[in-house]
Amino acid sequence: MAAVYQQLLSILFSLSPHFSMNPLQRTRKLISHVLSGSQSRSNDIPPHSHSNTSPSKIHKIGKRMGSSKGSRWIRRLCRISPRVTICSLPDEVLLDIFEFCLLDPLCRVRTWPKLVHVCQRWRYIMFASPLRLNLRLFCTFSTPVRRTMDVWPPLPIEIHYFSVHLRVEDNIIAALEHSNRVRRIRLCRISIPLDRLVTVMQEPFPELEYLYLEIYGTTLSVLPNTFLGGSAPRLRSLDLRHIPFPALPQLLLSCNDLVVLSLFQIPQSGYISPEAMAMCISALTSLTELSIGFKSPASRPDPTTRRPPPLTRAVLPALTNFDFHGVSEYLEDLMAQIDAPLLRAVAITFFNQLVFGFQHLPWFMTFSSTRRFSLIDFLKFQISCRGVDWQVSSVAQICNQRSFVLSSIKQLNIEELGSIWQVDLDDSQWLELFQPFTAVQTLRISHNLQSLVVSALRGLSGESVTQVLPTLEELQLLRYQASQHDNWPFIIARQHSDHPVVVCSRW
């Protein structure tokens, strides 16, 4: 047992740098307890075991816990008190140790089964406090699920499979059959027909907190409206990828505590209108992250049934991050119906189209019904098409609309989306893109685009040198060499202005 005790403390010391001081204070209490001995076992500890150990020394030992010498200190402590065993520690101290060792979620699922196998007393202490220790059964590839369920107590279940195929289907179904105990479900790259899985998941999952489903290489008609029994009251994160679920608004009516909602690559069969989407998310007052992405540009509002925007917008009081991939008409109709006063980050990817027109999107990003003017911290625009020239001209068309307020952006990053082997891009298109960014101080260019941007800036002369990016201070290029760019007319002219530009390497 002494060896087990020493190993346990070594684990404790190795984990200590990653956590707060509260567990460290508990561990110092443990060291003090071991060195002084408990009152009930005082006769088992020799008098000399702690005669030379002062409180200040114990404090110094605690401060060294996060260092690489921690295990050496443990061995010294064990030599100081050779007759102290793990049995000398009260249940509460052992419980503190177990709690500390299980703080890391990645280690918890593999560590607690080893601890309960040490002895009957440890097993009793841990199973008496499953909520405090957050004990859960982890079902994955190497887990014989049906046998596991018969061996362990009825603990909460987490299901994690990173590649779902026929060989693991029975295991997953065996775990899903315990629907009243399942807390987390993560099924990635599902490459098998989902009929059996969907049938099992039509039962209520009252304890489910996290759900991630991703189809890969297979198809699914639609998820039925009885999915998850039609309600998930404790769900906090929902992530569906390539999965059609037109009955989603009905399910979301029961998810009052939902924090993260991600719908990526929505097929046409799972299309949800902007009105229905706005109505269902309007009740999610705890929602902080919202992602909506469609698989095809065919997922767009019907122009014959589009309605005028409502007089009042639904407020999402906690929303800070918004991600969208689709057509601009859908986004406009959605933005006309919702308001997010705490919005800080927006990432938008549009399918390629000839004309972009916005009225409600700029208001959504910069104004709020509760705060007159609010600037977001992060804004990202992408155009889903192959040609860089189309991407640049489309983004320039979007950014140059008067309704957008881009004059406060301090840093501009430009990256390509897709191949750039065939480029028919005029320098004037870059200058048009830079025009609304009058406050940019840092410009970052990806490696594949920097020759095109440099060519556009190199051709500037006269007054245009100070009119393009007038406040620019730093141009970041990959693998920059000082002799390459210092002789640009653009750089030389800016050195004599109020805003000189420094060209530097990003790496």
Side-chain angles (χ1 to χ4, degrees), residues 365-380:
M365 294 193 305
T366 55
F367 292 89
S368 166
S369 59
T370 57
R371 185 171 53 183
R372 178 58 183 164
F373 188 76
S374 59
L375 295 176
I376 61 176
D377 298 328
F378 177 84
L379 173 62
K380 178 180 180 180

Side-chain angles (χ1 to χ4, degrees), residues 143-161:
T143 306
V145 176
R146 297 193 184 276
R147 186 172 61 185
T148 299
M149 298 303 172
D150 295 335
V151 172
W152 297 109
L155 298 172
I157 299 172
E158 293 191 9
I159 304 172
H160 289 253
Y161 286 83

Side-chain angles (χ1 to χ4, degrees), residues 101-113:
C101 292
L102 301 178
L103 282 177
D104 186 356
L106 298 178
C107 298
R108 182 189 306 127
V109 295
R110 296 176 178 84
T111 302
W112 77 259

Side-chain angles (χ1 to χ4, degrees), residues 89-344:
L89 302 177
D91 291 356
E92 183 62 29
V93 175
L94 279 176
L95 191 59
D96 281 347
I97 296 176
F98 298 152
E99 183 181 14
F100 185 84
C101 292
L102 301 178
L103 282 177
D104 186 356
L106 298 178
C107 298
R108 182 189 306 127
V109 295
R110 296 176 178 84
T111 302
W112 77 259
K114 298 178 181 179
L115 295 178
V116 298
H117 278 100
V118 171
C119 65
Q120 186 174 359
R121 182 189 175 203
W122 286 24
R123 179 187 293 259
Y124 172 79
I125 293 173
M126 295 189 69
F127 286 157
S129 303
L131 294 179
R132 176 176 172 180
L133 299 178
N134 199 16
L135 301 183
R136 300 190 179 190
L137 296 178
F138 192 76
C139 300
T140 186
F141 291 102
S142 59
T143 306
V145 176
R146 297 193 184 276
R147 186 172 61 185
T148 299
M149 298 303 172
D150 295 335
V151 172
W152 297 109
L155 298 172
I157 299 172
E158 293 191 9
I159 304 172
H160 289 253
Y161 286 83
F162 293 98
S163 181
V164 178
H165 44 78
L166 287 175
R167 287 182 296 175
V168 300
E169 185 179 19
D170 289 337
N171 255 2
I172 298 174
I173 292 176
L176 291 174
E177 288 175 349
H178 301 266
S179 58
N180 61 329
R181 294 165 50 190
V182 176
R183 295 286 181 88
R184 294 174 62 90
I185 301 175
R186 184 176 179 86
L187 302 179
C188 306
R189 300 175 68 86
I190 304 173
S191 57
I192 59 175
L194 293 181
D195 297 340
R196 292 182 63 192
L197 293 179
V198 171
T199 301
V200 177
M201 297 186 71
Q202 293 188 48
E203 297 294 327
F205 284 72
E207 302 297 322
L208 185 63
E209 300 173 352
Y210 174 92
L211 176 60
Y212 179 101
L213 297 178
E214 177 189 7
I215 287 181
Y216 179 79
T218 186
T219 58
L220 175 66
S221 54
V222 291
L223 286 181
N225 55 7
T226 55
F227 183 69
L228 299 181
S231 67
R234 298 195 60 181
L235 193 63
R236 295 181 58 81
S237 178
L238 176 60
D239 195 330
L240 302 179
R241 307 194 175 209
H242 304 270
I243 294 180
F245 190 16
L248 176 68
Q250 178 183 343
L251 176 67
L252 293 181
L253 292 177
S254 65
C255 304
N256 297 326
D257 297 328
L258 194 67
V259 177
V260 178
L261 175 59
S262 298
L263 308 171
F264 284 106
Q265 293 290 311
I266 303 173
Q268 179 64 21
S269 58
Y271 177 78
I272 301 173
S273 68
E275 294 78 16
M277 184 69 72
M279 181 177 296
C280 68
I281 65 176
S282 62
L284 305 178
T285 56
S286 300
L287 191 67
T288 62
E289 298 181 20
L290 175 61
S291 300
I292 303 173
F294 293 98
K295 192 172 184 178
S296 165
S299 297
R300 62 176 63 239
D302 185 353
T304 61
T305 60
R306 294 178 72 180
R307 303 175 183 176
L311 297 178
T312 60
R313 301 169 183 254
V315 178
L316 302 178
L319 187 66
T320 57
N321 294 66
F322 177 71
D323 192 342
F324 177 80
H325 187 156
V327 297
S328 60
E329 294 89 346
Y330 188 100
L331 184 60
E332 269 289 284
D333 287 359
L334 181 63
M335 297 298 96
Q337 303 176 65
I338 61 175
D339 185 11
L342 298 183
L343 188 68
R344 306 309 301 172

Side-chain angles (χ1 to χ4, degrees), residues 13 28 31 53-67 73 77:
F13 277 20
R28 291 171 188 167
I31 296 173
T53 307
S54 63
S56 60
K57 185 174 182 179
I58 295 175
H59 180 73
K60 292 179 180 178
I61 293 173
K63 291 184 66 175
R64 291 175 180 253
M65 288 173 52
S67 67
W73 279 96
L77 289 175

